[in-house]
Amino acid sequence: MAFITGVYVMLYDLTAVQFSKMLKNLSLILEKGEVFANLKKVDMAVLLNSRLAPDQFNLIRQIQIACDTAKIGVARLTGNLETVPKHDDTETTLPELQARIASVIEYLAQFTEADFADAATIHVSQPRWEGKYLTGYEFAIEHAIPNLYFHVTTAYAILRHNGVDVGKKDYLGPMPYKS
């Protein structure tokens, strides 16, 4: 039982806690993008609609998917799909995207370690998987966590590619250093 307890605490930390941190980091990176746009007299819409490749989603969509991955991933792991905040993917401005990020962070803050008590062993599926499922542990490790990092990293890379002065410390955010 101690191992299972450790697994659900770990899943809480790796998803609800870490997803919140990465969304906060994304928000701060976007603020740096806004400062850059103002300084260079570039319409922020240019950055928000930028992409790294012609067949890749733009910055707006990267942010939307990162938010969806965080909120829906935690909801699936905890059996709380009915509580997921609805976002219509209509954001076109930085304030709208920042509000979306803030609402997801607020949603994730409602979860506790206890909410993840069954997370490792539940069956998680979605329509695209055509009747297949992953255990909650597999879903978190193989799907939700990598997917969130992919979209946050891509958002970071889009801004960096456009000249925004962001670096690894911005991406990683504050660390709980000890002395």
Side-chain angles (χ1 to χ4, degrees), residues 44-178:
M44 189 64 194
V46 171
L47 293 178
L48 293 175
N49 287 292
S50 293
R51 59 187 80 228
L52 294 175
D55 65 345
Q56 187 178 54
F57 289 131
N58 65 15
L59 179 58
I60 290 171
R61 192 71 185 121
Q62 300 296 337
I63 296 163
Q64 292 167 337
I65 295 171
C67 288
D68 288 351
T69 298
K71 70 184 182 181
I72 296 169
V74 167
R76 281 193 170 116
L77 287 169
T78 60
N80 285 291
L81 278 173
E82 70 284 350
T83 68
V84 176
K86 181 157 176 39
H87 297 100
D88 293 323
D89 296 339
T90 57
E91 298 89 358
T92 59
T93 67
L94 184 59
E96 291 170 341
L97 290 164
Q98 291 284 27
R100 182 177 182 142
I101 293 168
S103 76
V104 173
I105 292 169
E106 184 178 310
Y107 173 70
L108 295 176
Q110 298 172 22
F111 290 90
T112 67
E113 292 173 354
D115 294 318
F116 287 77
D118 298 321
T121 57
I122 63 167
H123 290 188
V124 177
S125 188
Q126 51 185 317
R128 289 187 326 229
W129 296 354
E130 301 172 350
K132 298 174 186 151
Y133 73 90
L134 297 170
T135 65
Y137 181 81
E138 292 164 334
F139 170 75
I141 300 300
E142 303 276 342
H143 181 79
I145 294 168
N147 198 44
L148 177 90
Y149 282 102
F150 174 84
H151 291 287
V152 172
T153 300
T154 303
Y156 165 92
I158 290 169
L159 290 173
R160 184 80 172 109
H161 176 73
N162 278 280
V164 177
D165 185 21
V166 291
K168 188 185 290 188
K169 286 185 180 182
D170 297 302
Y171 177 83
L172 293 175
M175 295 289 183
Y177 293 119
K178 315 291 185 286

Side-chain angles (χ1 to χ4, degrees), residues 6-31:
V7 170
Y8 80 75
V9 170
M10 178 190 69
L11 288 175
Y12 166 76
D13 288 339
L14 290 175
T15 59
V17 174
Q18 195 63 25
F19 287 1
S20 293
K21 178 184 178 182
M22 292 308 296
L23 290 175
K24 288 174 189 171
N25 296 351
L26 178 58
S27 178
L28 293 172
I29 289 167
L30 290 169
E31 287 177 13

